[in-house]
C-alpha cells in the first residue's frame, strides 16, 4: 500500500491561496515596487525566484543569494510572506538563515531524486517550514509523489503540490500541457494534500492565465501561483507570461469560486443515471472482448498475426468520425479506442498462449 503523507494545513488562512510575484527578483527596485503594487491589490504571499534553473545556458540565471536581502525588505515593508525556489542544500540553508517563509522545489529539480533528497536532508529539523513541490517536467506522478514523500520524511508536514503542467513539443497551445488527470489522481490518492495551480508556467503567455486559473478553481485546486512583474515587457525571464499588478487584480476579481459540494436530489438522480451508463459500458466492453477472443481463436487456427494495423486504422478513423459528429473530441475517441484495442490484443495473445499450452 502507498505510504500516507503526514499533512498539516498550510498557515496561509483560507483557500484559495494566492501566491504572486515576479519570475525573478532582478534588482531591489523592481522587487520592492512589484511587491508594493501587489500588496495594494490585497496580496499576502509574494514569490520571486533567485536561483533560476534555465533550460539553456546563457539565459538570465537569477541574482542568487544577494536577492535574499531584497525579499527581506519586501517582508519588512509590506508585511507579506515571501517565497523562493530552492534547488540545492546551500539554497535551503541560506533561506533558513534569512527567514524565508515558504520554499518551493522547481519542476526540473523534482525530476531528480538525488537533488530532492539533498533538499530534504537540509530541511531536517525545520518542521516550521512550508514546502511546495512542483510537478516534474515529465508526466510521472510517482516522481512527484516521491519528492513529496522525501520532504515529508524529513519531518516537514506543511507541504503542498504545485501543478505547472508537463513538458510538450513546441506545437502545443500551452507552454506546458495541463494533463489535468494527473493532479486529479494526486488529489484522489492524497485528499488532504493542498494542490495549487501555476497557470503562468502552464500557459506560457499572459492571455492564457485567466482561463487556466478559472479551470483550476473549477476543478477544486486550492490556490494559484501567478507570475506578476511591474513591467513585464522588460522582465529578464518569462516576460511573455507575467501579468502587471493591475492585470493581476483584474484576474483575481474575475475569478468565480464555486462551492465544493452541494448535494440535492436532482444531482443524485443524474448520478444514478451515470452509474447505469457505466454499468452498460462495462457490459458492452465485456461483450466486445468475448467477440475479440473468438477472433483470437480464428487467427490462431489460420496462423494470422494478432495485430492487424490496417483493420485497427480503419476502426479508429470510423469511430473518431462517429464520435466527432456526436460532439466528442477526436483525441478522446482516439485514446478510448487505442486502450480498448490494447486490451483486445492482450486477450488475444492470452488465447494464443493458452492454446499453445493445451
Ligand atoms: C518558477 O516558478 O519560476 C519556475 C522556474 O517554474 P518551473 O519550475 O515550473 O519551471
Ligand atoms: Mn518563471
Amino acid at each position: 500500500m502507498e505510504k500516507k503523507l503526514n499533512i498539516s494545513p498550510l498557515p496561509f488562512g483560507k483557500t484559495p491561496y494566492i501566491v504572486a510575484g515576479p519570475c525573478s527578483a532582478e534588482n531591489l527596485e523592481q522587487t520592492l515596487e512589484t511587491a508594493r503594487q501587489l500588496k495594494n491589490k490585497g496580496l499576502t504571499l509574494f514569490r520571486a525566484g533567485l536561483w533560476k534553473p534555465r533550460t539553456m545556458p546563457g539565459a538570465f540565471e537569477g541574482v542568487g543569494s544577494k536577492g535574499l536581502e531584497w525579499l527581506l525588505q519586501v517582508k519588512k515593508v509590506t508585511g507579506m510572506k515571501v517565497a523562493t525556489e530552492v534547488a540545492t542544500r546551500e539554497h535551503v540553508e541560506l533561506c533558513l538563515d534569512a527567514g524565508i517563509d515558504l520554499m518551493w522545489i522547481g519542476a526540473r529539480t523534482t525530476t531528480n531524486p538525488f537533488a530532492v533528497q539533498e533538499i530534504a536532508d537540509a530541511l531536517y529539523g525545520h518542521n516550521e517550514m512550508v514546502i511546495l513541490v512542483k510537478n516534474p517536467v515529465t508526466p510521472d506522478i510517482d516522481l512527484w509523489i516521491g519528492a513529496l514523500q522525501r520532504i515529508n520524511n524529513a519531518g516537514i508536514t506543511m507541504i503542498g503540490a504545485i501543478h505547472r503542467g508537463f513538458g510538450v513539443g513546441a506545437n502545443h497551445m500551452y507552454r506546458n500541457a495541463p494533463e489535468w488527470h494527473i493532479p486529479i489522481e494526486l488529489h484522489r490518492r492524497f485528499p488532504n494534500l493542498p494542490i495549487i495551480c501555476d497557470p503562468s508556467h502552464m500557459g506560457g503567455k499572459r492571455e492564457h492565465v485567466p482561463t487556466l486559473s478559472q479551470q483550476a478553481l473549477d476543478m477544486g485546486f486550492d490556490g494559484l501561483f501567478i507570475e506578476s512583474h511591474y513591467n513585464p515587457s522588460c522582465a529578464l525571464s518569462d516576460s511573455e507570461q507575467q501579468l502587471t499588478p493591475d492585470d493581476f487584480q483584474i484576474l483575481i476579481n474575475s475569478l468565480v469560486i464555486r462551492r465544493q459540494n452541494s448535494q440535492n436530489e436532482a444531482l443524485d438522480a443524474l448520478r444514478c443515471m451515470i452509474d447505469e451508463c457505466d454499468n452498460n459500458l462495462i457490459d458492452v466492453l465485456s461483450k466486445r472482448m468475448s467477440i475479440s477472443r473468438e477472433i483470437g481463436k480464428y487467427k490462431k487456427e489460420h496462423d494470422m498475426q494478432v495485430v492487424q494495423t490496417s483493420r485497427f486504422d480503419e476502426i479508429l478513423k470510423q469511430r473518431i468520425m462517429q464520435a466527432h459528429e456526436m460532439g466528442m473530441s477526436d483525441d478522446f475517441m482516439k485514446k478510448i479506442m487505442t486502450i480498448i484495442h490494447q486490451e483486445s490484443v492482450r486477450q488475444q495473445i492470452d488465447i494464443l498462449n493458452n492454446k499453445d499450452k493445451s
Side-chain angles (χ1 to χ4, degrees):
M1 219 180 73
E2 189 160 54
K3 193 176 158 287
K4 285 213 168 93
L5 292 170
N6 178 13
I7 300 166
S8 312
L10 301 183
F12 302 143
K14 57 182 181 46
T15 56
Y17 308 120
I18 307 290
V19 186
C23 179
S24 305
E26 299 166 4
N27 53 59
L28 176 60
E29 201 264 332
Q30 166 258 2
T31 309
L32 204 50
E33 186 49 30
T34 303
R36 269 205 199 100
Q37 292 186 21
L38 287 168
K39 164 78 185 178
N40 286 340
K41 315 293 183 197
L43 188 74
T44 57
L45 298 167
F46 181 76
R47 64 147 282 160
L50 304 180
W51 299 279
K52 301 302 300 177
R54 306 309 298 277
T55 302
M56 294 299 175
F60 173 65
E61 294 195 319
V63 295
S65 56
K66 75 170 179 230
L68 286 167
E69 224 6 84
W70 309 341
L71 289 181
L72 295 187
Q73 280 278 329
V74 167
K75 221 174 138 157
K76 205 166 102 193
V77 173
T78 68
M80 288 192 284
K81 292 192 173 169
V82 292
T84 199
E85 174 174 344
V86 290
T88 66
R89 165 182 284 278
E90 193 197 0
H91 298 165
V92 173
E93 288 170 354
L94 286 164
C95 288
L96 288 172
D97 282 351
I100 297 298
D101 303 290
L102 190 174
M103 301 178 207
W104 80 86
I105 298 179
R108 291 160 194 77
T109 308
T110 306
T111 308
N112 178 356
F114 288 125
V116 177
Q117 190 56 52
E118 181 186 308
I119 291 169
D121 292 343
L123 285 165
Y124 194 85
H126 294 274
N127 300 0
E128 75 291 353
M129 276 313 303
V130 182
I131 306 293
L132 302 179
V133 180
K134 285 200 172 192
N135 65 260
V137 177
T138 49
D140 181 343
I141 194 171
D142 289 328
L143 214 41
W144 200 1
I145 294 171
L148 287 157
Q149 279 175 345
R150 285 176 198 277
I151 301 300
N152 201 216
N153 288 346
I156 310 294
T157 60
M158 289 187 280
I159 49 172
I162 302 177
H163 173 50
R164 48 77 85 191
F166 300 91
V168 269
N171 294 331
H172 202 276
M173 89 182 264
Y174 297 130
R175 180 178 179 191
N176 289 293
E179 306 280 7
W180 296 109
H181 62 282
I182 296 182
I184 289 172
E185 172 62 10
L186 185 68
H187 180 58
R188 194 186 66 79
R189 292 205 218 166
F190 303 99
N192 300 331
L193 177 74
I195 309 182
I196 293 168
C197 179
D198 173 346
S200 305
H201 289 90
M202 193 180 282
K205 292 223 171 4
R206 65 187 125 263
E207 61 264 31
H208 295 315
V209 174
T211 320
L212 289 168
S213 300
Q214 187 62 54
Q215 275 181 27
L217 293 188
D218 290 346
M219 275 184 269
F221 278 72
D222 300 287
L224 298 169
F225 201 76
I226 295 171
E227 285 193 338
S228 172
H229 187 293
Y230 78 150
N231 187 2
S233 58
C234 294
L236 298 182
S237 57
D238 288 348
S239 74
E240 287 184 30
Q241 70 194 31
Q242 305 204 55
L243 303 180
T244 60
D246 280 347
D247 285 345
F248 164 79
Q249 185 176 38
I250 292 171
L251 164 65
I252 297 299
N253 290 342
S254 76
L255 292 172
V256 181
I257 303 187
R258 299 179 212 278
R259 270 182 295 173
Q260 199 180 25
N261 221 331
S262 117
Q263 211 99 7
N264 72 21
E265 275 171 28
L267 184 63
D268 287 347
L270 289 168
R271 286 187 168 157
C272 270
M273 286 161 74
I274 287 280
D275 288 347
E276 205 179 308
C277 284
D278 285 352
N279 290 337
N280 291 340
L281 209 54
I282 293 170
D283 278 351
V284 170
L285 283 173
S286 150
K287 207 174 286 164
R288 195 185 192 283
M289 289 304 156
S290 69
I291 298 171
S292 178
R293 284 196 298 274
E294 284 304 311
I295 295 177
K297 285 180 200 159
Y298 180 90
K299 285 177 180 167
K300 169 74 179 167
E301 277 156 22
H302 294 80
D303 250 353
M304 283 170 72
Q305 290 174 349
V306 163
V307 180
Q308 304 276 325
T309 41
S310 57
R311 164 74 180 145
F312 180 53
D313 190 50
E314 199 183 294
I315 290 185
L316 208 52
K317 284 191 186 129
Q318 188 62 39
R319 304 295 182 267
I320 288 175
M321 215 161 69
Q322 287 168 263
H324 189 95
E325 277 166 19
M326 296 180 181
M328 286 175 271
S329 85
D330 296 8
D331 184 48
F332 168 69
M333 194 39 64
K334 186 173 176 196
K335 281 184 181 144
I336 294 263
M337 290 316 298
T338 304
I339 213 159
I340 291 176
H341 182 247
Q342 274 169 9
E343 178 64 9
S344 275
V345 168
R346 188 191 70 77
Q347 294 213 13
Q348 290 190 0
I349 285 175
D350 265 7
I351 293 276
L352 297 195
N353 290 338
N354 291 343
K355 281 221 165 162
D356 282 344
K357 269 182 233 141
S358 61

